[in-house]
Amino acid sequence: METALLVILMLLCNFVSTENLSASLAPGGNFNVSWSFGETTPDSEIVFTISAHTEGWVGLGFSPNGAMTGADLIVAWIDSEGTSHLMDMHATGNQLPLVDSSQDVSLVSALEVNGVTSVTFKRKINTCDDEDAVIMTSTTRLIYAFGDTDPTNNVLSPLNYHGATNRGVKSVYLLDTASKIPDESLPDDLQYFDLNVTDYHVPAADTTYHCSFHDPPQLDTKHHILSIEPLITKGNEALVHHMVFYACWGVDKEHLRNNNKTEGICATPEMPEFESSCFNVEYAWAIGGSKFYWPAHTGVPIGGNDSSSPDYYMLQMHYDNPQLLDTWVDSSGLRVTYTSNLREKDAGTIQVGTVDGLIVPPKPENFEYISICHTSCTEQWMPDDGVTVFGYLLHAHLLGAKIKLDWYSKDGCQSEVLAEDNFYDFNYQENRLLPVPKKLLPGETLKVTCTYTDSSRDRFTYGGEPSTDEMCLVFLNYYPKQQISTCGSYTSININQTDPLYQRWGFNTSSNVEDNIELLEEVANWSKEDTLVLQRSYYETDHYSFCTKVSFHINYPNVLVPISPQSYPDPPVSQGNSCLQDTPNSGAKSTASLYLVCSVVGLYSLSYKLS
């Protein structure tokens, strides 16, 4: 459900005032779209301009999944008399769209020059029309099409079919408030360094994690990193799945160089023992992401002679090579821009969620896995006055359909959705800013919920590094920076007589986790009912909390959390704007954010013990 961010904006009337955002949708620049918005409240307007190489009709749509069915469409053209036409339409299948009963778009301008048709129109973020999409804070699939001729008698017909090439789809984040800061507004002393591999011959393996060590720039005084952008080798856009930029302490540089172990396959003997000291995530980029700017009052510290300055940096590259090609050569990496003009706050990144313990059944349909950053961890690393979260990156693999991050107060009487994407796209993973930064205090809890869907996956899927395995992670950007790297929880299939799995199949309670997994896979003709039992087991099984410090991979004490995720109920749905009803693009358009709800089980009262 799309819940948190929109209502925060409704309540606070957050003003964004963006410059034009843009995307090229068709090859060769044959169809481009730009858009801008000021406020992001539901009744605020968003303005679109579409430009296509045609003297016929042009169409732009908002689709829940990239297909025609359920899409909200806008079609425009300029006829032979020079009259402009704009139609608000919707699609019920792969056929001619239908005209909406309510026309909720307004023409601003239209022009046809030198074979290019350009149309500017505006609409509300929420038109309160069931036949229109609500523009929200999830990923949006923009679909486009254009034809060579104008509709006859101003009515679209099969004669206006766009053909196989004049159409397409692209994922975008329409309400982007994060990464469009022009370089000219930054300090004039900018410097940069690149973290990249050089002519690396990628193995003919489905998944490769390659790690490389890099010297930081020699800076006698503290500086701040202001932005990071991907440098992807041309043609390798589908190969480079993600990159993680780590800071390392306790690295013996001379030993590292003498042993010629500056790069290799991660977590193998190719890498030096110092790899285990690289657990501080400075930045994470994933496929589809663009340049990221830290907010004007924050920056990632770099340089200086104190112990907070890293000895080394490590770049982790994830290569996705499902065709097992032996011909890939890559020199991709990250460009890191920094300045000596220090900003007010040192920014850090924490990884919330887990990979361990994750099991997704065959043919999942909205199957949920939950990981909890528990009060027992946040009490240990947060300062008394807390930290402020301002940005995030949501991360799952191919089965990922939705990701949500919830916040719970220490006493359990308040809860809120901080971030979510109900239309998650594995191939489009952007770092995003919260419209309203959130203060977190010691003892508060975060819950990551990942939803997996794929009717064609006919096997069990486990947590792991390959794209064909799964993850459930959120990378949070916050300030002030603390000595923390990861926070989350995991569960395993430890069967007991009260567990739904035991009750359904009579598993042996003395079996270890591996045996229980094998028993699950031996269940014949896995059904939807079996999936519901596994889901119930996840909801009722105790979780183990983990908490990892930055330096030298020292863990805070792990704790056994003798509670189930059902003790963290989803934040309730506010009524919000009464016109927000189900539409094709927004699912259940519930919009809740700032509310109070005291759970029957107050989180502060939940007991836990050190393990």
Side-chain angles (χ1 to χ4, degrees), residues 188-363:
D188 57 9
D189 71 332
L190 295 180
Q191 302 179 70
Y192 70 84
F193 63 94
D194 293 340
L195 301 173
N196 63 283
V197 296
T198 303
D199 295 331
Y200 176 60
H201 186 185
V202 179
D206 178 79
T207 297
T208 298
Y209 274 74
H210 178 273
C211 289
S212 56
F213 281 97
H214 302 266
D215 272 313
Q218 298 302 307
L219 302 173
D220 293 332
T221 60
K222 178 180 172 181
H223 289 56
H224 268 152
I225 294 171
L226 306 185
S227 67
I228 295 181
E229 63 182 307
L231 304 173
I232 307 298
T233 299
K234 186 176 181 179
N236 291 6
E237 291 80 6
L239 172 70
V240 182
H241 173 265
H242 75 243
M243 297 180 281
V244 183
F245 168 24
Y246 291 94
C248 315
W249 285 264
V251 177
D252 186 333
K253 297 183 179 181
E254 182 177 355
H255 177 73
L256 185 67
R257 294 188 178 111
N258 289 342
N259 286 274
N260 195 31
K261 288 186 174 182
T262 58
E263 64 176 301
I265 304 299
C266 306
T268 69
E270 292 185 21
M271 295 299 294
E273 60 274 20
F274 310 118
E275 182 185 7
S276 62
S277 298
C278 303
F279 275 82
N280 179 37
V281 176
E282 299 282 36
Y283 176 76
W285 173 92
I287 186 169
S290 56
K291 188 172 184 177
F292 179 75
Y293 295 87
W294 273 259
H297 63 299
T298 68
V300 178
I302 179 177
N305 298 314
D306 60 18
S307 59
S308 65
S309 180
D311 298 323
Y312 247 70
Y313 288 126
M314 187 178 77
L315 178 66
Q316 181 196 83
M317 307 282 294
H318 174 189
Y319 294 108
D320 191 22
N321 183 14
Q323 295 178 312
L324 309 181
L325 298 179
D326 191 37
T327 54
W328 290 112
V329 177
D330 189 59
S331 296
S332 300
L334 300 171
R335 174 157 293 175
V336 182
T337 300
Y338 61 96
T339 177
S340 62
N341 288 284
L342 296 182
R343 295 181 165 187
E344 180 184 355
K345 302 291 185 182
D346 287 348
T349 301
I350 179 174
Q351 175 183 299
V352 179
T354 190
V355 177
D356 296 333
L358 206 163
I359 302 177
V360 182
K363 299 183 178 181

